[in-house]
């Protein structure tokens, strides 16, 4: 992907010494590249002097991808803590001063890897109730997994907004909420309401129970079959039969239960670990 095409965003926090925003874009010119972080009325620009540091597009892409991967992991694990970020990046700027090209990429990778949570910690967070840990980070992960599976012809703008809200939002397959509909009690817990409540508390926010939808309000608490087969007034699929990669598991089954949530969680966790690996595998 060219830097000019890079529109992915990551939640970063700075409220009372914490960012809360996203990477909104990358701009490049002959002499520099600019990474833009935006949110809560604040803007953070990261300038990379291409000419001074002998950085070509390949170098810049690597640095940008390292930063995105770093913030995905940091925003779930809180490692390193927010209070250390300013010092971390000031030290990093000092360390790359005087270096060129490949050496800068190597130092950026080295420094970010050194302070990031390891894969074991990252995995543990991903396997748990990840939505309740950081829903912004989860939305980013789901969108990134979906984008990775897209081709030039099938690409959809998952970052499109209506007003101040994203069009594509997180959809809970087994729904949230205190009043679990009877079809879900029957499917998840074989009619046992108390057991359904217990399972909802444990599994509803797991990665395997989440997808993205542009029609979240149209799906709501409907049964699994209704969510899967939902159409709009023109007869177009707006449920899980909408050709998303994330929904491949959902279109192949007639029921949704804990076993399927566990299985899908395991698959998505592995894909996330691979997609956001800080060090490229040999």
């Amino acid at each position: 992907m060219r830097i000019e095409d890079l529109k992915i965003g990551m939640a970063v926090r700075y409220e009372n010494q914490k960012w809360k925003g996203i990477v909104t874009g990358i701009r490049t010119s002959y002499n520099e590249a600019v990474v833009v972080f935006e949110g809560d009325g604040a803007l953070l620009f990261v300038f990379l002097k291409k000419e001074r540091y002998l950085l070509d597009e390949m170098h810049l892409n690597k640095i940008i991808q390292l930063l995105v991967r770093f913030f995905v992991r940091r925003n779930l694990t809180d490692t390193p803590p927010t209070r250390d970020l300013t010092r971390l990046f000031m030290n990093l700027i000092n360390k790359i001063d005087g270096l060129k090209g490949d050496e800068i990429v190597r130092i950026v990778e080295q420094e970010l890897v050194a302070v990031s949570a390891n894969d074991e910690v990252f995995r543990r967070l991903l396997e748990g109730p990840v939505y309740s840990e950081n829903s912004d980070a989860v939305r980013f992960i789901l969108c990134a997994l979906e984008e990775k599976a897209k081709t030039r012809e099938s690409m959809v703008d998952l970052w499109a907004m209506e007003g101040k809200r994203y069009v594509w939002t997180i959809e809970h397959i087994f729904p949230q909420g205190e009043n679990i509909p009877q079809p879900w009690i029957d499917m998840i817990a074989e009619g046992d309401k108390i057991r359904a409540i217990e399972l909802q508390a444990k599994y509803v926010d797991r990665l395997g129970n989440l997808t993205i939808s542009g029609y979240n309000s149209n799906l709501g608490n409907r049964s699994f079959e209704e969510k899967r087969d939902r159409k709009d007034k023109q007869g177009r699929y707006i449920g899980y039969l909408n050709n998303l990669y994330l929904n491949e598991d959902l279109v192949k089954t007639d029921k949704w239960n804990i076993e399927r949530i566990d299985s899908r969680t395991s698959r998505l966790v592995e894909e996330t670990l691979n997609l956001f690996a800080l060090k490229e595998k040999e």
Side-chain angles (χ1 to χ4, degrees), residues 148-208:
K148 186 175 183 293
K150 294 296 187 185
T151 67
R152 182 171 58 188
E153 293 180 330
S154 63
M155 182 61 72
V156 176
D157 185 4
L158 301 176
W159 307 98
M161 302 189 77
E162 289 183 350
K164 296 184 178 180
R165 296 186 178 184
Y166 287 113
V167 172
W168 291 84
T169 57
I170 295 177
E171 148 74 3
H172 287 74
I173 303 165
F174 174 23
Q176 299 171 295
E178 295 181 5
N179 299 316
I180 304 175
Q182 191 61 46
W184 279 105
I185 294 174
D186 295 338
M187 181 172 284
I188 288 289
E190 298 180 342
D192 186 335
K193 183 177 181 179
I194 301 301
R195 179 61 175 157
I197 293 172
E198 293 172 350
L199 292 173
Q200 184 192 54
K202 185 175 181 180
Y203 288 96
V204 74
D205 287 340
R206 299 285 178 94
L207 195 57

Side-chain angles (χ1 to χ4, degrees), residues 6-195:
L6 192 62
K7 296 180 181 178
I8 55 179
M10 183 58 235
V12 279
R13 299 182 178 279
Y14 196 80
E15 293 176 341
N16 298 324
Q17 299 186 343
K18 289 185 178 181
W19 272 95
K20 187 178 181 182
I22 59 170
V23 179
T24 57
I26 309 296
R27 298 198 303 271
T28 62
S29 66
Y30 178 77
N31 292 318
E32 66 187 20
V34 183
V35 186
V36 186
F37 300 82
E38 181 175 357
D40 286 353
L43 285 175
L44 171 65
F45 295 90
V46 178
F47 292 89
L48 300 171
K49 297 294 182 180
K50 295 161 66 176
E51 190 174 51
R52 175 182 175 185
Y53 294 118
L54 300 182
L55 294 167
D56 59 23
E57 187 167 298
M58 180 186 70
H59 294 131
L60 291 169
N61 268 315
K62 285 184 177 179
I63 292 170
I64 291 164
Q65 290 300 328
L66 282 167
L67 287 170
V68 169
R69 293 169 184 175
F70 169 79
F71 276 110
V72 168
R73 300 168 75 101
R74 197 220 75 80
N75 280 30
L76 277 184
T77 65
D78 198 34
T79 303
T82 305
R83 65 178 179 274
D84 292 346
L85 290 181
T86 300
R87 182 172 68 251
L88 167 66
F89 286 105
M90 291 300 294
N91 289 340
L92 185 54
I93 290 169
N94 291 332
K95 287 187 178 184
I96 67 173
D97 191 39
L99 301 180
K100 308 293 182 185
D102 289 340
E103 275 297 295
I104 291 177
V105 176
R106 184 183 67 81
I107 291 298
V108 170
E109 180 183 62
Q110 176 181 297
E111 294 298 309
L112 295 183
V113 169
V115 298
S116 293
N118 60 34
D119 281 354
E120 182 180 347
V121 173
F122 191 33
R123 177 189 293 276
R124 186 168 68 247
L125 267 294
L126 289 170
E127 289 176 340
V130 66
Y131 177 85
S132 58
E133 291 288 341
N134 190 324
S135 60
D136 289 335
V138 172
R139 183 190 178 280
F140 178 84
I141 289 171
L142 292 171
C143 289
L145 291 173
E146 183 63 35
E147 284 185 334
K148 186 175 183 293
K150 294 296 187 185
T151 67
R152 182 171 58 188
E153 293 180 330
S154 63
M155 182 61 72
V156 176
D157 185 4
L158 301 176
W159 307 98
M161 302 189 77
E162 289 183 350
K164 296 184 178 180
R165 296 186 178 184
Y166 287 113
V167 172
W168 291 84
T169 57
I170 295 177
E171 148 74 3
H172 287 74
I173 303 165
F174 174 23
Q176 299 171 295
E178 295 181 5
N179 299 316
I180 304 175
Q182 191 61 46
W184 279 105
I185 294 174
D186 295 338
M187 181 172 284
I188 288 289
E190 298 180 342
D192 186 335
K193 183 177 181 179
I194 301 301
R195 179 61 175 157

Side-chain angles (χ1 to χ4, degrees), residues 245-257:
Y245 165 73
L246 287 173
N247 293 343
E248 285 185 351
D249 322 61
L250 311 181
V251 303
K252 299 174 182 177
T253 183
D254 291 326
K255 66 178 181 178
W256 193 246
N257 55 25

